[in-house]
Amino acid sequence: MPAQQKRLIFCTAGVLSLACALGTAAAVGTQLWVRGTILCTTGALLVNATGPELHKFIGEIQYGLFSGQRVRQCGLGGRPFQFSFFPDLLKIIPASIHVSVILFCTVLIIFALVGAGFFMFNAFGSPYETLHGPVGLYLWSFIACSCGCLIMILFSSEVKIHHLSEKIANFKEGTFAFKTHSEQFANSFWTILVCSLVHFLNALLVRFAGFEFPFSKSKDSGRITGAVDLMY
């Protein structure tokens, strides 16, 4: 492949990596990871609410990795409540999983920036040594893609398996009990998915530029090595 096309491919991959780093950093600071509705089961059972009356007992909840807000509806109008995970909710959430998600987000941002830098270096400089050449580009892309996948798996398990929304909804609620009515992942969560796909695409772009996958050896090199061994 001509040098100009390779330079264009590396520039494209570098820009995509930089955009992923900035997008992940922006996603971490938002409250748009999960959106849902919560049902005040205690209030609904007291008045035996059904049909349209049930909407008076359905509130809203949304949260991210550090904070969020909920609006509780118990038949007397909405009452908003702001909360933060640190240190308010540490006792009721799976703290190890939650901290791991934040940690992997940090690693994803770092390696996305590192990958962007090395892609630009390979585009406008002369690659040298292993970590500056194709093997390094595969390595940074693989680490960033793996971190994105781990973030989605861990956060999904925290929300779905550990019922994070219900735990948040019932935080400091002694009289009323709340149950998750509906929940879905919001924009920030899907941003991580897009970033993971982008880093996988970057690895394909490196392969498309004409570089072999790491640790792959051609048959000719194997034959030459074998011939040399026989000589000794």
Side-chain angles (χ1 to χ4, degrees):
M1 180 176 290
Q4 291 183 352
Q5 294 184 10
K6 291 183 179 180
R7 180 173 297 179
L8 179 61
I9 289 175
F10 286 142
C11 286
T12 302
V15 171
L16 290 175
S17 294
L18 181 60
C20 286
L22 297 177
T24 303
V28 170
T30 66
Q31 299 180 3
L32 300 177
W33 284 72
V34 174
R35 283 179 176 173
T37 56
I38 50 177
L39 173 64
C40 180
T41 56
T42 305
L45 289 174
L46 285 175
V47 299
N48 196 20
T50 57
E53 297 177 348
L54 199 61
H55 291 283
K56 297 180 180 179
F57 299 92
I58 297 178
E60 299 178 353
I61 186 172
Q62 71 174 26
Y63 54 89
L65 298 181
F66 294 97
S67 62
Q69 60 180 353
R70 73 184 188 197
V71 179
R72 60 195 298 271
Q73 292 271 8
C74 293
L76 299 175
R79 297 184 180 182
F81 176 75
Q82 298 282 341
F83 59 87
S84 60
F85 285 92
F86 304 99
D88 297 338
L89 301 177
L90 281 180
K91 294 182 179 179
I92 65 170
I93 66 172
S96 58
I97 298 178
H98 198 78
V99 172
S100 297
V101 171
I102 297 174
L103 192 62
F104 280 117
C105 284
T106 305
V107 176
L108 174 58
I109 295 171
I110 293 174
F111 279 96
L113 291 174
V114 171
F118 280 112
F119 273 115
M120 290 301 180
F121 178 83
N122 280 270
F124 298 102
S126 299
Y128 62 95
E129 297 185 2
T130 304
L131 294 182
H132 293 266
V135 177
L137 300 181
Y138 285 122
L139 178 63
W140 312 131
S141 299
F142 173 76
I143 293 176
C145 182
S146 300
C147 287
C149 294
L150 287 173
I151 291 168
M152 291 185 293
I153 292 172
L154 291 175
F155 190 75
S156 299
S157 66
E158 185 181 8
V159 174
K160 299 298 183 180
I161 299 177
H162 294 275
H163 306 289
L164 184 60
S165 299
E166 281 191 14
K167 292 181 178 179
I168 294 174
N170 290 284
F171 177 62
K172 290 185 177 180
E173 291 289 345
T175 305
F176 294 96
F178 293 87
K179 185 178 180 180
T180 303
H181 187 260
S182 66
E183 65 180 1
Q184 60 273 346
F185 295 108
N187 298 338
S188 295
F189 179 85
W190 300 119
T191 299
I192 302 298
L193 173 61
V194 172
C195 289
S196 300
L197 295 177
V198 166
H199 288 298
F200 180 76
L201 174 63
N202 284 346
L204 295 181
L205 288 177
V206 177
R207 180 66 185 88
F208 182 73
F211 295 106
E212 296 292 336
F213 284 109
F215 312 114
S216 62
K217 295 181 179 180
S218 62
K219 296 181 179 179
D220 295 336
S221 62
R223 292 173 182 173
I224 294 173
T225 304
V228 172
D229 293 337
L230 289 176
M231 292 177 62
Y232 292 95

